[in-house]
Amino acid sequence: MKVSRRTALHLAGAAAFTPAIEMEAAQVPPAPKEGPGTPKIAVGMGDSFVAGAGRGAAPDPAAGPRRIKQLGVNHVLSGGPRPPWTEESLTRLIEPWKTAGISVSNLMINLSPDILYGRAGEKRDHDIEDIKASVVAAGKVGLPVVEYNFYAHRAMEGYFEEIDTERGGSSWTGFDYNLEQSAAQQYQTRPAEKGMKFKDLPPLPEEGAHNLDEMWANITYFLKAVVPVAEKNNVRLALHPNDPPAPVSRGSQQIMGAVAGWKKLISIVESPSNGITFDCGVTREMGEDPIEVCRYFASRDRINHVHYRNVLVIKPYERYREVWIDEGLNNMFAVMKELVKNKYSHLIYPEHPRRLDYDAERGAIPGYPGGGSYAAIAYNVGYARAMLQAAMS
């Protein structure tokens, strides 16, 4: 076969240039991967929504784990069984995910009203013993983090749905301390309260009203009993901050409704097992700088879980919108860089997906007004992983 002079020159040039291209390509490192010493993207078990099966459930028990695995996510979290947990009850929960190559790495434990409100008597001590037994069981099955809340009352009656007109009519979750209650409201609990503003709602009979001194005494009693057990069993406790961080919620003050409270919490028992869930969304809702707050707790190894989301704040504590993760006031890349810089190595949950038509058309059940499901959580995961890979680079 004859080769023209022009073709020969082209072939010779390409051959001469190829090693340079290969050398240059070889010098570009691949994207960093999650590992034992890095943050790990996680989602909730319920984020695997399967149409027609309810949030987080599926006729095929492997369908949910498979959907999450398809997102490249290898860690999940969820609410745990009713205390006391046992090795058997935790193993039943963990095994289907383990079979799919996914680690259950954080479970929420519910505290009884007797623990929360410090009700005197044997019942509180009995319930604390159940929590201690649950922590021991968590350690035995290798569950690294147990998350919990310590709300006097959670201010969910202030939530409502808002439409994002600039993003095709997707939905946000809004919060307003002055929200007027209506019979159609998702978190309305007493029909007689229709027309009242959230901030004026009275205490609930089953909860009562509690001040900061009471709540601090209650959680101090709890932590001094449980943290040594957690430490001994290589389990970390993560207390989620008040969300929403309303100043007063149905007559009760909130110990985790300010960063000063977060700092006080970790000083009660000095241990990595006594830590917080760092929520950069809540941090901004309180008018605080998430980067500085992250640095304070991460540098002390007291962040045991992360909620990674964005908000637009109109008035700190009282009026804000939970917007898409790529909108809002938080510099999400800066937050991620701070976590990586301080060698944070636990879960990052890009939570509170926004409502999309795609999910709604498939029967997705939102966890909050304006909340979304699988397609929206897939978007959050992709965004969070991009931030993590960039930060690790």
Side-chain angles (χ1 to χ4, degrees), residues 147 239-243 245 259 262 276-295 297 303 305-313 320-339 344 347-352 380 383-384 387:
E147 193 175 11
L239 176 56
H240 194 287
N242 273 83
D243 181 21
V259 171
W262 305 5
I276 67 167
T277 294
F278 170 65
D279 188 320
C280 59
V282 172
T283 307
R284 181 64 71 182
E285 291 162 13
M286 299 186 300
E288 301 280 356
D289 180 355
I291 312 306
E292 291 182 6
V293 174
C294 179
R295 184 178 304 125
F297 289 95
I303 297 180
H305 183 47
V306 169
H307 283 181
Y308 190 70
R309 61 184 179 85
N310 218 332
V311 294
L312 178 62
V313 179
Y320 60 84
R321 294 166 175 153
E322 298 184 13
V323 295
W324 283 92
I325 195 169
D326 57 1
E327 298 178 323
L329 299 176
N330 285 344
N331 182 331
M332 302 303 286
F333 183 46
V335 171
M336 189 68 80
K337 285 196 294 183
E338 196 64 37
L339 290 166
Y344 173 77
L347 302 187
I348 293 179
Y349 182 20
E351 60 160 4
H352 292 198
N380 284 8
Y383 181 92
M387 296 295 102

Side-chain angles (χ1 to χ4, degrees), residues 156-236:
M156 297 176 77
E157 297 93 331
Y159 280 144
F160 64 100
E161 182 173 358
E162 290 187 286
I163 304 300
D164 184 348
T165 57
E166 296 185 2
R167 199 147 174 166
S170 60
S171 295
W172 297 322
T173 301
F175 176 80
D176 190 350
Y177 195 49
N178 291 285
L179 184 67
E180 189 173 290
Q181 304 296 288
S182 71
Q185 199 167 337
Q186 184 169 349
Y187 296 104
Q188 176 67 37
T189 56
R190 300 291 190 274
E193 296 167 354
K194 181 180 177 181
M196 293 182 68
K197 291 184 176 181
F198 166 68
K199 68 176 183 179
D200 298 323
L201 293 178
L204 297 172
E206 62 270 26
E207 292 179 352
H210 304 274
N211 62 39
L212 288 179
D213 289 341
E214 291 177 63
M215 295 304 294
W216 280 120
N218 298 344
I219 198 166
T220 297
Y221 189 89
F222 172 79
L223 290 174
K224 288 186 175 180
V226 177
V227 171
V229 178
E231 196 171 45
K232 183 178 179 180
N233 287 274
N234 199 31
V235 172
R236 290 179 176 237

Side-chain angles (χ1 to χ4, degrees), residues 40-95:
K40 300 158 187 65
I41 305 298
V43 298
M45 293 179 185
D47 292 323
S48 62
F49 175 83
V50 177
R55 186 173 176 83
D60 174 6
R66 186 168 61 246
R67 278 191 166 204
I68 286 177
K69 191 71 173 178
Q70 286 174 355
L71 298 179
V73 172
N74 298 311
H75 297 268
V76 291
L77 49 98
S78 182
R82 184 176 178 177
W85 298 350
T86 64
E87 285 185 74
E88 292 74 22
S89 66
L90 292 180
T91 299
R92 282 195 301 272
L93 179 64
I94 290 170
E95 200 58 37

Side-chain angles (χ1 to χ4, degrees), residues 145-148 219 223 227 230 235-241 256 262 265-267 269-278 297 300-305:
V145 176
V146 173
E147 193 175 11
Y148 67 108
I219 198 166
L223 290 174
V227 171
V235 172
R236 290 179 176 237
L237 302 178
L239 176 56
H240 194 287
M256 291 292 282
W262 305 5
L265 175 92
I266 65 169
S267 72
V269 180
E270 293 282 356
S271 169
S273 289
N274 177 31
I276 67 167
T277 294
F278 170 65
F297 289 95
R300 289 163 173 78
D301 193 21
R302 294 299 184 270
I303 297 180
N304 292 340
H305 183 47

